[in-house]
Amino acid sequence: MTHTHSEELFRRAQEIIPGGVNSPVRAFRSVGGKPVFIARGQGSHIFDVDGNEYIDYVGSWGPLLLGHRHPAILEALERALSIGTSFGAPTAQEVELAEAICDAVPSIEMVRLVNSGTEATMSAIRVARGFTGRDLIVKFEGCYHGHVDSLLVKAGSGLATLGIADTQGVPKAFCDTTIALPFNSPEAAEAAFRTHGDRIAAVIVEPVVGNMGCVPPLPGYLQFLRDVTHRYGALLILDEVMTGFRVAFGGAQQRYGITPDLTTLGKVIGGGLPVGAYGGRKDIMSKVAPLGPVYQAGTLSGNPLAVAAGLAMLRHLKAHPEIYNQLETRAAALCAAVPAGVTVNRVGAMFTFFFHPGPVTDWESAKVSDTARFGRFFRAMLDRGVYMAPSQFEAAFLSAAHTDEDIGKTVAAAAEAFQQKD
Ligand SMILES: *Cc1c(COP(=O)(O)O)cnc(C)c1O
């Protein structure tokens, strides 16, 4: 496998783009080697600019639940293109996407569309603060909620990958509004509420963490968060940017039977285009301008192309509920055989192989993974035509386009890659 065209593009990119990439983890820093530049994708496969083919388990970091270039989404985009790319005025499809979201996720009675997951979480905590009149936000170590200033405290994803504990450029006063606690510890949350309960506006949590690698909630933990927030008059925000429409059609809140006050969405709801959303209880969302005093806006929010792709995605998923059973079966097959010393965490179509005996239940237990061994595994998989996220602290994503043949090839490649010594 040669990568000469990718290497040349990376050289040029590094001259003029910080690190050569438009989002940090793409740079392959933590796994060694250089990023491959992608030329195109089709179904479960991607092709790089040197003509190499890979089975893709990144899926654009979550959005591509139906794989690359799904016909339903292409068709919706073509229709949208023939009408116009942006109006900055309301369109029928925005109403239909909002209805589709509220229909799939019953805790969302009212919803606002934005352009990214970051915007969704940033706006959700603003509404939570406006609604409660309180300033503090509780988050969990290793959870990532986008690059919102006050949520970059002990965050996962790229910060975990690059070993950046707390980013520079965020005023200390912002960080002082954030309480970061260990995930899966009811005791820690109870103690924080005992001390600061009347000042906490909201708890924001990834109901299944994807951004320190895949870490499921322990039994009863999400219900505990529901109860403790309720007891203290704080809001529960489930950040389902990754899990929404992935771990179940109605997201993790459907899978675990939890009713949050607010939900944030992104990734899958854009069908591969930039869409985010935040929504929830009507009395809370009624605080959002122009209905209420909490301001939030966006020039390209509800963009016709993005909304068309998202709506096509949600309609296809609703019409094909069997997709979720298929994903479950295939993902289970993929995760069935791991060697001793490796822990596999999986929920539905998201999973992580941790190079650590486990169990991995929080950031403390995730971060001790053998990242050098993960790097060898990652490179060996890439050499064998399997493209995984280039970090130990990310989830892998299966799409409905992955076939049994893809799974078989991946399992065979992994059997060799797990043994990689150099
Ligand atoms: C990806 C992600 C975000 C940020 O979304 P962007 O679209 O990258 O801004 C927020 N929360 C979670 C849980 C995510 O996985």
Side-chain angles (χ1 to χ4, degrees):
M1 210 179 257
T2 61
H3 297 288
T4 50
H5 288 92
S6 280
E7 280 165 15
E8 170 58 12
L9 281 167
F10 192 47
R11 190 194 60 72
R12 279 167 54 198
Q14 285 174 292
E15 300 282 325
I16 38 136
I17 304 174
V21 290
N22 284 313
S23 196
V25 184
R26 295 180 197 172
F28 280 31
R29 288 239 166 166
S30 71
V31 290
K34 292 176 183 157
V36 293
F37 281 63
I38 305 305
R40 67 186 183 89
Q42 183 62 49
S44 58
H45 288 227
I46 51 175
F47 301 81
D48 71 18
V49 289
D50 291 285
N52 303 306
E53 180 172 357
Y54 310 89
I55 306 172
D56 179 20
Y57 291 98
V58 175
S60 188
W61 301 90
L64 301 184
L65 190 57
L66 298 177
H68 297 268
R69 304 187 74 249
H70 189 278
I73 289 172
L74 294 187
E75 200 186 297
L77 280 171
E78 274 160 21
R79 237 181 299 123
L81 267 180
S82 71
I83 294 164
T85 55
S86 189
F87 307 110
T91 61
Q93 291 224 317
E94 287 167 83
V95 186
E96 291 171 30
L97 181 55
E99 285 170 347
I101 290 170
C102 294
D103 176 53
V105 186
S107 73
I108 303 182
E109 298 170 344
M110 206 177 235
V111 63
R112 173 60 69 74
L113 299 181
V114 292
N115 303 291
S116 68
T118 297
E119 275 187 70
T121 57
M122 179 180 73
S123 308
I125 63 172
R126 184 179 303 149
V127 178
R129 285 166 165 159
F131 181 79
T132 58
R134 302 172 176 181
D135 286 343
L136 299 184
I137 300 289
V138 170
K139 79 171 289 281
F140 298 97
E141 294 165 7
C143 283
Y144 177 70
H145 305 290
H147 60 94
V148 180
D149 280 336
S150 64
L151 297 179
L152 284 178
V153 179
K154 298 195 173 161
S157 191
L159 291 94
T161 304
L162 299 172
I164 300 174
D166 294 306
T167 179
Q168 293 193 4
V170 176
K172 182 174 174 300
F174 291 18
C175 298
D176 289 345
T177 63
T178 308
I179 302 172
L181 302 176
F183 183 68
N184 268 333
S185 167
E187 296 76 19
E190 187 71 57
F193 270 97
R194 215 178 299 122
T195 314
H196 307 288
D198 58 347
R199 295 170 58 217
I200 295 173
V203 168
I204 185 166
V205 63
E206 291 183 69
V208 176
V209 189
N211 286 297
M212 53 178 145
C214 179
V215 177
L218 292 173
Y221 181 64
L222 295 175
Q223 187 58 50
F224 167 80
L225 293 179
R226 175 63 287 182
D227 296 341
V228 75
T229 45
H230 190 73
R231 245 189 296 134
Y232 283 91
L235 302 185
L236 177 63
I237 305 172
L238 290 190
D239 180 359
E240 299 233 41
V241 169
M242 187 183 289
T243 52
F245 297 93
R246 172 161 292 278
V247 300
F249 183 64
Q253 55 194 274
Q254 176 190 325
R255 195 169 173 123
Y256 296 98
I258 302 295
T259 306
D261 300 299
L262 292 172
T263 299
T264 52
L265 294 167
K267 298 197 169 118
V268 175
I269 64 160
L273 273 82
V275 182
Y278 66 102
R281 273 164 49 187
K282 201 168 203 160
D283 57 331
I284 301 171
M285 290 302 289
S286 298
K287 294 285 177 196
V288 178
L291 208 49
V294 177
Y295 196 71
Q296 182 273 311
T299 302
L300 289 172
S301 292
N303 173 265
L305 286 182
V307 165
L311 192 54
M313 168 69 87
L314 266 45
R315 285 190 172 149
H316 187 85
L317 292 173
K318 177 158 183 162
H320 298 276
E322 72 280 4
I323 282 176
Y324 289 96
N325 292 333
Q326 288 164 8
L327 286 169
E328 196 78 49
T329 310
R330 293 208 171 110
L334 207 160
C335 294
V338 295
V342 176
T343 301
V344 60
N345 279 1
R346 180 184 74 81
V347 176
M350 56 188 273
F351 60 92
T352 298
F353 300 125
F354 288 99
F355 286 83
H356 172 51
V360 180
T361 57
D362 57 10
W363 176 235
E364 284 299 309
S365 49
K367 76 177 182 192
V368 294
S369 299
D370 185 342
T371 52
R373 199 173 155 212
F374 174 83
R376 292 195 293 276
F377 172 76
F378 168 84
R379 291 191 303 275
M381 291 295 267
L382 197 69
D383 283 344
R384 287 162 180 76
V386 182
Y387 188 84
M388 314 280 293
S391 165
Q392 171 70 94
F393 306 115
E394 298 285 354
F397 301 111
L398 200 68
S399 81
H402 285 83
T403 61
D404 289 333
E405 190 190 344
D406 289 331
I407 305 295
K409 283 184 181 165
T410 306
V411 169
E416 292 176 10
F418 278 129
Q419 307 308 327
Q420 205 68 17
K421 291 290 187 301
D422 57 348

